[in-house]
Amino acid sequence: MALSKNKKLPVYVVGMVFLIFCIILGTSQGSVTVPFGTTMKILWQALWAGDYANLDDSFVTIVLQVRLPRVLLAALVGASLSIAGAAFQGLLKNPLADPYTIGVSSGSAVGAVSVLFFGWSLPVIGTFTLPFISILSGFLTLLLLLAFVRFIEQSLATETIILAGIIVSSFLSAVISLIITFTGEELRQIISWLMGSVAMRGWDYVWLMLPFFIIGSLLLLANRSELNALVFGEETAKTLGVNTGKRRFMILAGASLLTGSAVASSGTIAFVGLVIPHLMRLLFGPDHRHLLPLSMCAGGGFLILTDLGARTFIAPAEFPIGVITSIIGAPIFGILLYQQKRRRAIIQRVRR
Amino acid sequence: MLELQDITGGYGSVPIVQNISFNVEAGEIFSIVGPNGSGKSTLLKFIFGALEPDQGKIFIDHKPLSTYAPKALAKKVAVLPQHAETTFSFTVRQVVELGRYPYQKGLFSTQLEEDTKIVDQSMEETGVLSFADQPLDTLSGGERQRVFLARALAQEPDMLLLDEPTNHLDISFQISLLDTLKKWARTKKLTVVAVLHDLNMAAMYSDRTLLLKEGRQEALGKPAYVMEKNSLESVYKTELYRKEHPSVPSPLITLVPHTEKDVAENYIDGLLVTEETSHTCISSSIYWKTLSSAVIGAGFGWHRHFVNRHVDKNYNEDNPESEYMMFLQSLQIDSQDTTGMMTAASLADGAKVRVQDEDGDVFVYATAGTANAVDVSKAYEKHSQPVTIGTINIWIFIDGTLTEAAYTQVMMTATEAKAKALLDKDILDPDTGTPATGTSTDSMCVAATQQGDTYHYGGTISVLGKKIGKAVYEAVAETLDRYKERRRSYSQA
């Protein structure tokens, strides 16, 4: 499976259209259904003109103040986790890696859970204490991890990163469990945060997440060719002219930034970062030059859809979004995997 | 092109490679050989910058290796990895496109038309263009190796480094890979530095070879000099045997398996002689190394049946070899184990002579018919083709180890002894009336057990040659007497 030159453009168009469609669908559906056309008009006005004269005020409020930030946050988180997952899988040469493999997310989670447990509130940033501490502790975890790996050996070998990641994340998970053991009334709050949600965040979280998303994505996209080379191993990448030390750090930093900010703003949403890159690879091949942007589109759209499911299936109550990602994602993944294995078997039979 | 100065280093504190220096010229094929753990791959890693040497300098095009930026180095030097496993199934084209990485500029550069052209060209030259869009993991090991070769070629390097490139490849792929490299070295002036584990491949394809022993240079130079029996044996700590390649000027190294040698046993005593009117067969329980001009098993070989077959004087076959094999089959003798000659002479006239003393043991069997005896010095005057078959077949069995030189000298000594016997028995060339030196279809087989004492010489006055001369002379003379006796009794009757 690969994208030949003339198929690239249509695939990107489909990806963008899918994402835009998901945004519109996500903002129009919910407890109150805003007509599709109306939603499009409101979004159009919001983007270009800002003239809502002919539109229903309550619809405008619902779309722009309630749903759009939630949908955009879902898109950012989904896109972040997916592109980070794709990068981690390529960098670690392991299709089972995901943004949570190397423990950066556990670091973010420890930060967030601590804020909830101790009821911290930092001056000036106030309500943003949680995401701030969370991103910070995520990044500290990455630095700690890299220092640990460097301490073990000079080069940043893949296997050592994975192993060190497992050590770090199991340690931090234990810390989280420990905190939970001591919690009283914060328990429900902590558990629901850990399960992940993009609800009730508002525009502030979107603006908070956006710079991290942009920096992280650019870092990864700038290294898309390097990722292709790194898949063939450190030594091969070097002989192809890749400055492996620098590139590896850029990729780790970019992916950690994305993961940390996603976890900080919406908790640990499982499965997206593992399955979306995998899906895209099954559909369009493993070339990171296309895998990264396509994972971004698909991940963003996918998380909008699952969030839509989470808030509409048993409305007015909500499912945790992580539950939906797994319930929808797993079967799709299974079907695609089956089809790909069969196709591969056919290719091999034909060649013999 | 490449210069190494006194390179020492390895992975830890103990250096794997020590004090290695050499130069490689542009367009040269330079191979590095040595046993496992001798530092071949480590040395190569220094050259492509995967490892830093503790001491010493490496220059590429007169510039120190350390001054090259990664991309600049990748434009000069490409590496064909020993094995490349990938987790994800890239297509052939995507893999080859990676070879253009060093030519990318800027953060978000895209592939240019020129890149595509070079990628296509590289795939064309390595013969992988036809499966450009197939996933790499559906290809065979040999095809995959060619894909990586295409990737290396796409880097447009001046120098190609290979780490045991023929590992896991079947023979035809090994040859085609090395042939391709040789061609590129000649046509593109590509410099090739290859770690090879197959000494024969190294000998056949490289201009110069570096032999490593425990990280140090054991020998450096033309393969013919480097692949010297004694130094190879000391490096590989195993018994090796060097021969010359049958069709190209290059040494050929073979191994000698370790076998328990039997207790000294006289194999000449153990020879079993079966005599029938159709053939005489001399068989042994062991294989003898033979040099012969026989119909079956000519040249050097290892045989344990020696068949002297009587055929009618009108014997005429287009393909005597396959007819002979059928004959052996009817006798249930394995033709692969056999040296086989033919003669129209009566086998009953055959003579067996054994010369044995404390210095050696030689056994000779000979049959003779002299109907078309030839004086070799007058042979150029002869016009007629022989009508009747007359042949002198000589079989020489030697208990001992002979060098190839000794085999050749034994042949010479035996031929002289034969000529002398003919002279003494007054055999004349019927056309010229002058004394004959042999017949037109003589054949000879020298067989030695290759066990026990070694004979370096077989010349006429050597220890071995003296016995050969005596035994051959006596055997040929005796069989000639019987032959003449029979002819006389025929003509009287």
Side-chain angles (χ1 to χ4, degrees):
Chain A
M1 280 303 286
L3 289 178
S4 58
K5 238 182 170 167
N6 47 3
K7 277 195 231 149
K8 275 178 208 160
L9 193 65
V11 167
Y12 280 113
V13 169
V14 168
M16 285 312 293
V17 168
F18 169 71
L19 183 58
I20 291 166
F21 168 78
C22 288
I23 292 173
I24 297 168
L25 186 71
T27 42
S28 77
Q29 300 301 306
S31 49
V32 177
T33 303
V34 181
F36 217 82
T38 313
T39 311
M40 279 166 79
K41 272 181 207 154
I42 294 171
L43 290 176
W44 184 260
Q45 290 301 331
L47 262 181
W48 308 114
D51 173 17
Y52 307 110
N54 305 324
L55 295 159
D56 186 327
D57 275 354
S58 63
F59 280 170
V60 172
T61 310
I62 287 174
V63 167
L64 293 183
Q65 296 310 315
V66 180
R67 291 198 187 139
L68 189 57
R70 180 174 183 152
V71 163
L72 286 183
L73 188 64
L76 287 179
V77 168
S80 295
L81 290 175
S82 299
I83 190 175
F88 274 125
Q89 290 173 4
L91 181 72
L92 302 178
K93 296 184 286 182
N94 191 334
L96 294 177
D98 73 1
Y100 305 143
T101 303
I102 65 162
V104 172
S105 57
S106 302
S108 296
V110 167
V113 170
S114 304
V115 171
L116 292 172
F117 178 72
F118 295 110
W120 287 337
S121 179
L122 294 177
V124 184
I125 49 174
T127 49
F128 291 116
T129 304
L130 188 140
F132 176 77
I133 296 283
S134 182
I135 291 176
L136 190 70
S137 59
F139 217 78
L140 283 176
T141 310
L142 175 70
L143 294 181
L144 190 82
L145 180 91
L146 290 180
F148 181 48
V149 173
R150 278 238 190 268
F151 176 69
I152 297 172
E153 60 180 2
Q154 276 303 302
S155 64
L156 289 172
T158 307
E159 294 75 17
T160 322
I161 295 179
I162 294 180
L163 284 175
I166 289 171
I167 295 171
V168 167
S169 61
S170 37
F171 178 78
L172 293 176
S173 299
V175 171
I176 294 173
S177 301
L178 192 70
I179 295 175
I180 289 173
T181 318
F182 291 113
T183 47
E185 66 254 36
E186 307 94 343
L187 180 67
R188 200 183 155 74
Q189 210 189 343
I190 289 177
I191 294 290
S192 76
W193 186 86
L194 281 178
M195 282 200 288
S197 170
V198 287
M200 311 301 289
R201 300 296 203 262
W203 278 107
D204 295 339
Y205 272 75
V206 174
W207 299 128
L208 178 78
M209 177 138 188
L210 201 59
F212 292 105
F213 173 74
I214 291 170
I215 295 169
S217 304
L218 286 181
L219 272 174
L220 294 185
L221 287 173
N223 285 291
R224 60 208 195 289
S225 294
E226 285 77 3
L227 273 168
N228 280 349
L230 282 166
V231 164
F232 289 89
E234 169 99 19
E235 217 171 82
T236 301
K238 252 187 196 163
T239 66
L240 290 170
V242 177
N243 188 341
T244 50
K246 186 176 126 198
R247 296 300 184 161
R248 209 184 268 274
F249 181 77
M250 283 170 78
I251 294 164
L252 276 175
S256 299
L257 217 52
L258 290 168
T259 310
S261 61
V263 169
S265 53
S266 64
T268 47
I269 297 174
F271 216 63
V272 186
L274 174 69
V275 164
I276 294 297
H278 226 118
L279 258 172
M280 292 301 109
R281 201 178 287 119
L282 285 180
L283 290 172
F284 308 115
D287 188 342
H288 290 87
R289 289 172 296 182
H290 309 303
L291 184 65
L292 296 185
L294 289 174
S295 292
M296 236 158 76
C297 291
F302 176 75
L303 208 64
I304 294 173
L305 291 184
T306 46
D307 179 52
L308 181 63
R311 62 190 155 94
T312 51
F313 285 162
I314 52 164
E318 284 192 14
F319 279 120
I321 190 169
V323 173
I324 306 286
T325 52
S326 302
I327 283 178
I328 297 177
I332 298 176
F333 186 36
I335 291 166
L336 276 162
L337 192 65
Y338 169 74
Q339 284 183 340
Q340 193 232 13
K341 289 284 172 210
R342 241 186 24 184
R343 201 167 25 225
R344 181 147 303 239
I346 291 167
I347 290 177
Q348 265 165 354
R349 219 172 305 141
V350 168
R351 281 183 52 79
R352 284 199 188 108
Chain B
M1 180 73 227
L2 171 71
E3 187 180 359
L4 271 75
Q5 285 179 1
D6 198 31
I7 292 295
T8 296
Y11 295 94
S13 49
V14 184
I16 294 173
V17 168
Q18 290 182 51
N19 309 105
I20 298 293
S21 302
F22 61 81
N23 281 306
V24 182
E25 299 303 320
E28 191 178 9
I29 299 184
F30 187 90
S31 61
I32 303 169
V33 297
N36 290 340
S38 60
K40 303 181 299 257
S41 298
T42 312
L43 186 57
L44 204 66
K45 283 189 175 136
F46 290 138
I47 303 174
F48 64 79
L51 274 179
E52 289 265 333
D54 298 339
Q55 178 197 317
K57 288 199 178 102
I58 297 174
F59 296 92
I60 290 173
D61 272 348
H62 310 293
K63 265 176 66 184
L65 182 64
S66 51
T67 62
Y68 280 90
K71 282 188 178 179
L73 185 62
K75 288 181 199 172
K76 283 254 178 237
V77 182
V79 180
L80 187 67
Q82 191 176 40
H83 47 76
E85 298 293 322
T86 54
T87 326
F88 307 115
S89 53
F90 282 87
T91 65
V92 170
R93 177 178 293 278
Q94 287 166 345
V95 174
V96 179
E97 275 171 0
L98 279 175
R100 297 306 295 167
Y101 175 79
Y103 295 88
Q104 286 181 13
K105 292 188 188 83
L107 274 186
F108 295 92
S109 68
T110 47
Q111 203 171 307
L112 302 170
E113 215 161 286
E114 193 198 330
D115 292 324
T116 313
K117 211 180 87 194
I118 290 166
V119 165
D120 281 347
Q121 238 169 32
S122 308
M123 289 195 287
E124 174 95 61
E125 277 201 61
T126 47
V128 297
L129 189 60
S130 58
F131 32 84
D133 290 321
Q134 290 206 15
L136 189 66
D137 51 4
T138 60
L139 304 185
S140 75
E143 290 167 335
R144 248 180 258 191
Q145 192 68 292
R146 269 162 38 206
V147 173
F148 292 119
L149 192 63
R151 183 180 71 190
L153 200 60
Q155 285 175 248
E156 300 187 294
D158 297 333
M159 181 161 69
L160 184 59
L161 304 180
L162 306 101
D163 191 358
E164 305 203 355
T166 56
N167 247 2
H168 321 296
L169 295 188
D170 65 36
I171 297 172
S172 66
F173 272 125
Q174 295 186 13
I175 294 287
S176 87
L177 175 70
L178 291 167
D179 279 341
T180 309
L181 293 180
K182 188 140 202 165
K183 195 179 82 196
W184 290 346
R186 302 285 171 266
T187 57
K188 297 181 201 287
K189 275 278 167 202
L190 181 73
T191 311
V192 178
V193 178
V195 165
L196 293 172
H197 59 177
D198 188 323
L199 294 173
N200 292 321
M201 292 286 177
M204 274 189 285
Y205 285 97
S206 41
D207 299 316
R208 281 189 306 146
T209 294
L210 169 67
L211 174 63
L212 287 179
K213 180 190 185 184
E214 289 156 14
R216 291 173 185 280
Q217 171 182 325
E218 174 76 18
L220 172 66
K222 274 174 66 176
Y225 294 115
V226 173
M227 309 278 176
E228 206 261 315
K229 179 175 153 70
N230 290 339
S231 64
L232 284 180
E233 281 185 346
S234 95
V235 168
Y236 284 90
K237 299 191 172 57
T238 182
E239 213 176 316
L240 293 162
Y241 194 74
R242 174 177 162 165
K243 287 195 40 104
E244 295 311 308
H245 192 285
S247 60
V248 295
S250 130
L252 201 56
I253 311 297
T254 44
L255 294 162
V256 183
H258 288 283
T259 46
E260 295 298 321
K261 291 274 163 67
D262 294 335
V263 236
E265 182 187 329
N266 192 315
Y267 292 106
I268 292 183
D269 285 341
L271 286 175
L272 181 73
V273 184
T274 328
E275 300 199 79
E276 311 269 345
T277 38
S278 66
H279 69 279
T280 298
C281 177
I282 300 173
S283 292
S284 175
S285 57
I286 60 150
Y287 286 87
W288 297 58
K289 186 179 175 184
T290 61
L291 172 61
S292 78
S293 58
V295 180
I296 297 288
F300 273 110
W302 287 86
H303 300 127
R304 59 193 191 95
H305 300 298
F306 303 89
V307 177
N308 194 22
R309 178 186 172 197
H310 173 77
V311 292
D312 187 79
K313 60 179 194 279
N314 298 319
Y315 176 88
N316 186 11
E317 280 286 335
D318 288 339
N319 191 344
E321 203 174 324
S322 60
E323 191 273 339
Y324 204 121
M325 286 195 185
M326 306 257 279
F327 169 74
L328 289 175
Q329 211 167 31
S330 71
L331 297 175
Q332 296 190 318
I333 294 173
D334 189 338
S335 58
Q336 287 300 319
D337 292 351
T338 304
T339 308
M341 298 184 198
M342 286 197 230
T343 178
S346 169
L347 297 180
D349 296 341
K352 303 183 194 74
V353 173
R354 185 170 177 182
V355 177
Q356 188 180 16
D357 58 26
E358 63 274 14
D359 292 332
D361 195 351
V362 166
F363 170 66
V364 172
Y365 165 62
T367 58
T370 58
N372 48 1
V374 174
D375 174 358
V376 68
S377 64
K378 298 274 191 283
Y380 74 99
E381 294 171 1
K382 289 170 86 91
H383 299 296
S384 60
Q385 290 294 314
V387 242
T388 49
I389 292 184
T391 296
I392 302 172
N393 285 351
I394 300 172
W395 306 79
I396 301 165
F397 296 88
I398 300 160
D399 185 19
T401 306
L402 266 62
T403 61
E404 288 192 1
Y407 271 95
T408 322
Q409 288 164 1
V410 166
M411 279 262 176
M412 289 159 60
T413 305
T415 308
E416 286 170 27
K418 174 189 76 178
K420 186 68 166 54
L422 288 169
L423 192 66
D424 289 355
K425 295 300 169 190
D426 295 325
I427 306 296
L428 300 181
D429 183 326
D431 288 349
T432 60
T434 50
T437 53
T439 77
S440 55
T441 49
D442 285 356
S443 201
M444 192 182 290
C445 168
V446 179
T449 55
Q450 295 301 97
Q451 295 182 29
D453 296 342
T454 300
Y455 296 102
H456 292 284
Y457 310 106
T460 46
I461 59 156
S462 66
V463 175
L464 180 63
K466 284 177 183 170
K467 293 185 187 62
I468 301 287
K470 180 173 160 67
V472 170
Y473 177 82
E474 285 176 7
V476 174
E478 190 183 325
T479 189
L480 284 175
D481 282 342
R482 291 193 192 149
Y483 171 73
K484 280 175 148 178
E485 188 63 33
R486 182 187 301 269
R487 296 282 291 227
R488 202 171 315 134
S489 56
Y490 271 141
S491 47
Q492 277 166 8

